[in-house]
Amino acid sequence: MADYRRMFKRDGSLRAVERPQNRPYRRQTQPAEAVAVPETTVTKADTGKEPEIKVETASSQYPLETKRIGGTALFIEVAKQIGLWEDFSKTWGETACAVACSLACHWLSTAHNAAYLFKSWSANYALPFPHCIDGKEITEFFESLAACEGWEKTFFGARLARMPEDEIYSYDSTNIATKACEISDGQYGKSKDGGYRRQIGMSVLFGQRSGLPVMFRLFPGNIADVSTVVDLLSRVDMIDPGRLVAAVLDRGYFSLENIERCIDGNHKVLIAAKTGVSWVKDALESAMSDMWDARYRLRGCPVWGKTIEKELDFGGGKKHTVWVHVFRDDQKSHIANMEFFAELDQFEDQWNSHTALQQQNRQALQASSLLKYYKKPSGLPGVCTLERDFDQINEATRYFGFFASVSTMKCDAQQAIETYHHRDNIEKCFKAGKSDCNMDALRSHTEATMKGRFIVSFFALTVLSELRRRMRQPLYETKSNGEEVRYKPLGDEMTFRELLNYLDSIKVVYGRTAEDARLAEVTKRQCMIAKRLKCEGVYDAVPEYVKRK
């Protein structure tokens, strides 16, 4: 009986998290719906045996009801196809996987991740974990996920093992707001908006070819993002020592110290460079004369590119070779020149205007940073005219349209730009996580619940990333006559929210018996949406996990 109470609630439904063995049992104060009555009036004295006891309920049949399944069935099918369901189950168990998947379905369907909203929402949806869970139980579930020993190595190792051997990873981090003072990682730091707030840092390693997040790491909110990259790459080495990781980083992580750490750790990285750094500017000057040569025009993009090999001195007698990839974009150069000279023209008009005679405007014009592009004025604004300093202007416009990246491994400019172009997927991943999973704010008050919540968020983010990747891809189908038909990407027709609206009408209809469950009408358009998302057949029959047990 004690084991039963640990695993099941008083109404007989399975608990999301088993109760501790030493938890005292509290007697139920309300009368139970089920009443135990003897099936017969025969006593032990009559037969010499204990009388059989039969449990009778108010109704011997199940109630007639319907539950929605459109979007949730799609989420679960995607999770199983990419191995996420299997990896989660191996780490935390089948029941925990069903609970996490149910929570992820709620967050993806509603774009809200508050625990107290799940109970009312789940009553209308067919989910892998069919039992009612309130906010308190969800909190306990988050704690149980974080308490699993070695989950990072097991779960992230399983996700890494599914990545291609030649996978290239993008690395980025973001800050998530929190008001919880009990969380040690919740520290005051500078947000992306420039203000200061209590926040937690989260970094993600994202597969560029697979389009999926692979692992994440949490760190205090007052730590600069630039110092976190080597730590996460080192964790990959510990989880999967045989895997060679090549990471792509944006300009925010560019520093000589980071490059040195990556080289010392044998990490292959490609970092967007700051062109104002002296040794990067030297590389730009070395490649400048070839940036209009047709031999250096790159394939597949309107850009010229050349790679310059440089040996850097890191001090203390340490020298390492890096490869600087210099690029020039004609379109960017044209736009930058147009904007620059338009700003100069506007400034000159303001200088010559009669309003420049006003004291307030005069002080603003005299303090403008644009004056460095003119020779020293002979008088005050509104009185004299400005004369352009063309040497200064030429120096300012010399590098318009130029940009660069630095790699710690040898590769050419074509490989570098093709690799870096895929990096915007991780930006889209963060944006989608904050808008579609409500990850922009943390609703936890302890370390354990915080980690558990992020584990479920990672589950939801992985499913969302895969769905969005499939929405960007066309579908090719070969007809019976051999004709190939191309369907344009689903994302060209609808957004993710519109997709869920189209599927929301699909329902499971439950009858009076446990076996009586069927899908309501499914339209051809809904089946076609599933097919274009590579989930053909998901609405052909009632899934096993939603059938009454």
Side-chain angles (χ1 to χ4, degrees), residues 490-501:
L490 196 61
D492 293 347
E493 298 180 14
M494 62 186 73
T495 64
F496 177 70
R497 289 294 151 199
E498 288 176 317
L499 169 70
L500 296 184
N501 289 340

Side-chain angles (χ1 to χ4, degrees), residues 420-452:
Y420 197 83
H421 271 175
H422 293 288
R423 198 194 171 281
D424 64 337
N425 288 334
I426 193 172
E427 300 287 351
K428 294 176 182 176
C429 175
F430 275 132
K431 185 177 180 180
K434 292 185 177 182
S435 60
D436 294 324
C437 299
N438 203 203
M439 288 175 58
D440 55 340
L442 178 64
R443 294 175 176 85
S444 295
H445 298 283
T446 65
E447 296 279 350
T449 57
M450 174 193 71
K451 290 181 180 179

Side-chain angles (χ1 to χ4, degrees), residues 398-409:
R398 180 176 179 81
Y399 301 110
F400 279 179
F402 281 83
F403 58 98
S405 62
V406 176
S407 64
T408 60
M409 67 286 189

Side-chain angles (χ1 to χ4, degrees), residues 3-21:
D3 290 340
Y4 178 86
R5 290 170 179 167
R6 283 194 301 106
M7 298 176 63
F8 297 92
K9 301 179 186 178
R10 292 167 185 165
D11 61 1
S13 61
L14 183 66
R15 296 184 185 275
V17 181
E18 291 186 14
R19 295 294 193 197
Q21 292 186 2

Side-chain angles (χ1 to χ4, degrees), residues 23-39:
R23 182 182 177 91
Y25 174 70
R26 298 176 182 175
R27 185 177 298 278
Q28 186 171 344
T29 57
Q30 296 181 353
E33 294 182 3
V35 181
V37 296
E39 185 179 20

Side-chain angles (χ1 to χ4, degrees), residues 168-169 171 205 215 227-241 243-249 257-271 314 320-323 406-410:
I168 297 174
Y169 299 91
Y171 174 90
L205 204 62
M215 62 184 296
S227 61
T228 60
V229 57
V230 178
D231 177 83
L232 188 63
L233 294 179
S234 299
R235 292 179 186 226
V236 175
D237 293 340
M238 289 187 290
I239 292 172
D240 192 350
R243 181 171 292 269
L244 185 62
V245 174
V248 183
L249 315 174
E257 293 77 17
N258 253 353
I259 294 173
E260 182 181 11
R261 292 192 195 106
C262 290
I263 293 175
D264 290 342
N266 293 321
H267 302 307
K268 293 184 175 182
V269 295
L270 175 67
I271 314 177
F314 292 93
H320 296 292
T321 300
V322 297
W323 289 263
V406 176
S407 64
T408 60
M409 67 286 189
K410 186 176 183 179

Side-chain angles (χ1 to χ4, degrees), residues 33 95 107 173 179 205 242 286-287 296 315 355 385 441 457 515 523:
E33 294 182 3
T95 300
W107 298 357
S173 61
K179 293 184 178 179
L205 204 62
S286 299
Y296 293 94
T355 58
T385 58
S457 295
E515 298 79 15
T523 66

